[in-house]
Amino acid sequence: MIREVMKREILDHLISLRFSISAILILILMVCGTIVSEKVVKVRMERYGPGEIKGFYKAKIWSAVSGLGFYRRKPSPLGFIAMEDELIWPFFIARGGILMSGFGEQVVNYTKATNWALDYLGATFFTSEESSLFPISMRDASFPPFIPMDWAFVIGVLGALMAILFTYDSISGERERGTLKLLISNPVPRSHVILGKLLGAMVVLTFAIGFGCIISLLIAMRITPLGKEDWIRLLLILLFSLLYIAIFVFIGISISSRFRSSMESLAILLIIWMVFVILMPKTIEFVYMETIPHHPYEDILSISTKMEDEIDNRYREKGLFDKVPPWEYGKEAIELWRRYLNEFERIPYEVDRMFDKRVAIVERARMWSRLSPASIYRYGLEAIAGTSLPGYMEFVTQIRQYIKDTLNILKKADMDDPNSLHIFWMKEGMSQREVELPRFKQGRSFLWMIRKGMLDMMIILILFIGMFLLSYFSFMKADVR
């Protein structure tokens, strides 16, 4: 009998006007969103290049130390699924390495490189095309100026609304028409009725949303072909989406079982949708970010300058700049310059620490925002698709480790040169040898992404089970009269 009830539900939904309107709206939004997303991905792919250059390269030690570092984040092939964070969190990071000349008696006596502090926004390096496509960064605001028409929005917001519209009268409507009492009077277990209705609604919603997903995917694959791991992540995303939609199907049937009027059920469900899907996600994030004190990103950027000034002033009092160039003033002057330049290595760690503190505040805001199922769904999709804050921080972690390893290689090569004064960061005090260095290679760990999305997937699964039990027992105890 479950199959019979399910067939009846499917036919009723397929011939309804709300199904036609919903399916067409989902398709249009997904197609438009994917086209816009792929335009962004195309520009990023062109900037990123045909692929990573692997292996090693040779360079003079000084050239490597003074050269500007510029690291681009590899575009995610699944960026069209959840692209919001791709706009907020920058897609490239720069580091220091600009030459600075030291003056003594109006003559350039030495040349030193700046510290390798990371500029996490890379704001200086926007091209005109990128500026038009990425009008916002963490420097300007915490939230995007527009709503991205990605899967996370279409399914997370409109999919939830569709689930409500397909189930608000599933029980109360039949009670009003008297068909529910007639159905229950037959030798049909109530459990079969509720399971048939749940499955019928899920099949119709899966068809309506799935068709839009297939067309969206075909458009996206024209520019970004998917690899084996991408297909696995895509299947996980589809399963995650079904669980999310099912939650609102269960809520809709539960509310419909408790109210005798379909209009009352619809009103209650729309309020639930408006509060938990529309208002709550960004409101919680905004209130948290506004009430918790934190350093603006401009303050983080100014840390480097402030620390440099403090170090300069402290060593100026020690007469450092009177001993230029240091090799003409003996070992004591050389050692003083070593200590002076080595202190600049503290600056990148302080910049990283302040940046991590700001990221931690954003992560806590996102944690509170998980009171909304829509936020849980979006964060889960972002993590699995590799467009999320955790994915960005994985990129940052890889850059930090690469810089650390590269500096260790350069310093060791300098220390191994007996002709060097070992005044690191100063051109005249460093080795002139050539050294072999590894190229930066960004890795995308499938397990990292799954692990970062595990919390959201577990919460959705718990909500799925809880809402299913709620809808099941609400109907089992409902008055059919």
Side-chain angles (χ1 to χ4, degrees), residues 164-448:
I164 286 174
L165 295 178
F166 277 54
T167 56
Y168 77 93
D169 60 348
S170 182
I171 306 300
S172 57
E174 291 211 38
R175 184 188 288 116
E176 289 175 330
R177 296 188 295 270
T179 55
L180 180 62
K181 183 177 181 181
L182 181 62
L183 179 63
I184 296 299
S185 64
N186 293 320
V188 181
R190 282 198 178 199
S191 59
H192 288 195
V193 175
I194 183 63
L195 291 176
K197 286 183 173 293
L198 292 174
L199 291 173
M202 284 302 303
V203 168
V204 174
L205 287 168
T206 300
F207 178 79
I209 297 174
F211 182 70
C213 291
I214 292 173
I215 301 300
S216 171
L217 183 60
L218 292 175
I219 295 173
M221 289 178 62
R222 294 185 308 164
I223 298 177
T224 53
L226 304 183
K228 180 179 178 180
E229 286 191 353
D230 297 325
W231 282 107
I232 296 175
R233 287 190 290 155
L234 181 62
L235 291 175
L236 191 59
I237 286 171
L238 293 175
L239 176 61
F240 187 61
S241 300
L242 287 176
L243 292 177
Y244 173 77
I245 292 297
I247 289 172
F248 285 91
V249 170
F250 299 155
I251 292 174
I253 290 183
S254 176
I255 297 297
S256 184
S257 300
R258 293 177 176 271
F259 288 86
R260 306 191 67 85
S261 168
S262 297
M263 289 299 101
E264 291 178 356
S265 300
L266 180 60
I268 296 298
L269 288 169
L270 287 177
I271 291 174
I272 292 174
W273 176 78
M274 182 64 68
V275 172
F276 285 93
V277 176
I278 301 298
L279 299 178
M280 186 177 287
K282 292 304 179 185
T283 301
I284 294 177
E285 284 189 22
F286 178 78
V287 171
Y288 187 89
M289 294 293 291
E290 290 297 316
T291 55
I292 300 298
H294 57 274
H295 293 278
Y297 194 78
E298 286 78 3
D299 290 351
I300 300 176
L301 294 176
S302 66
I303 287 175
S304 180
T305 302
K306 291 179 181 178
M307 291 188 68
E308 287 177 359
D309 292 342
E310 185 272 329
I311 294 172
D312 285 342
N313 293 334
R314 184 152 41 85
Y315 277 86
R316 183 175 287 109
E317 294 176 358
K318 298 180 181 181
L320 176 78
F321 299 107
D322 297 328
K323 301 175 181 179
V324 180
W327 46 89
E328 294 184 1
Y329 289 84
K331 292 183 178 180
E332 184 178 340
I334 291 176
E335 183 60 30
L336 185 63
W337 271 90
R338 285 175 185 162
R339 294 200 303 269
Y340 164 69
L341 292 174
N342 285 340
E343 284 209 33
F344 281 89
E345 294 185 17
R346 295 189 294 109
I347 297 176
Y349 293 104
E350 185 63 22
V351 172
D352 292 347
R353 187 182 68 84
M354 295 299 295
F355 180 78
D356 290 345
K357 287 179 64 176
R358 180 168 179 84
V359 169
I361 292 173
V362 175
E363 287 178 332
R364 287 195 293 271
R366 287 161 67 99
M367 184 61 70
W368 280 105
S369 182
R370 282 180 170 89
L371 291 172
S372 163
S375 293
I376 300 170
Y377 177 68
R378 171 168 284 280
Y379 297 154
L381 252 60
E382 289 172 348
I384 301 171
T387 61
S388 63
L389 168 59
Y392 174 80
M393 291 307 295
E394 180 190 26
F395 174 61
V396 169
T397 301
Q398 292 174 0
I399 293 176
R400 290 176 180 176
Q401 186 61 47
Y402 172 76
I403 288 176
K404 181 180 178 180
D405 294 341
T406 301
L407 280 177
N408 287 338
I409 294 173
L410 293 171
K411 287 183 177 181
K412 185 179 184 303
D414 181 72
M415 293 301 296
D416 291 343
D417 186 357
N419 297 320
S420 172
L421 295 174
H422 309 309
I423 308 178
F424 207 76
W425 302 105
M426 181 185 288
K427 180 179 181 180
E428 296 78 4
M430 292 174 58
S431 171
Q432 301 303 310
R433 286 181 174 178
E434 194 174 63
V435 65
E436 190 174 66
L437 297 170
R439 298 183 185 275
F440 174 70
K441 178 185 177 182
Q442 180 190 352
R444 283 190 177 274
S445 172
F446 175 72
L447 293 179
W448 171 287

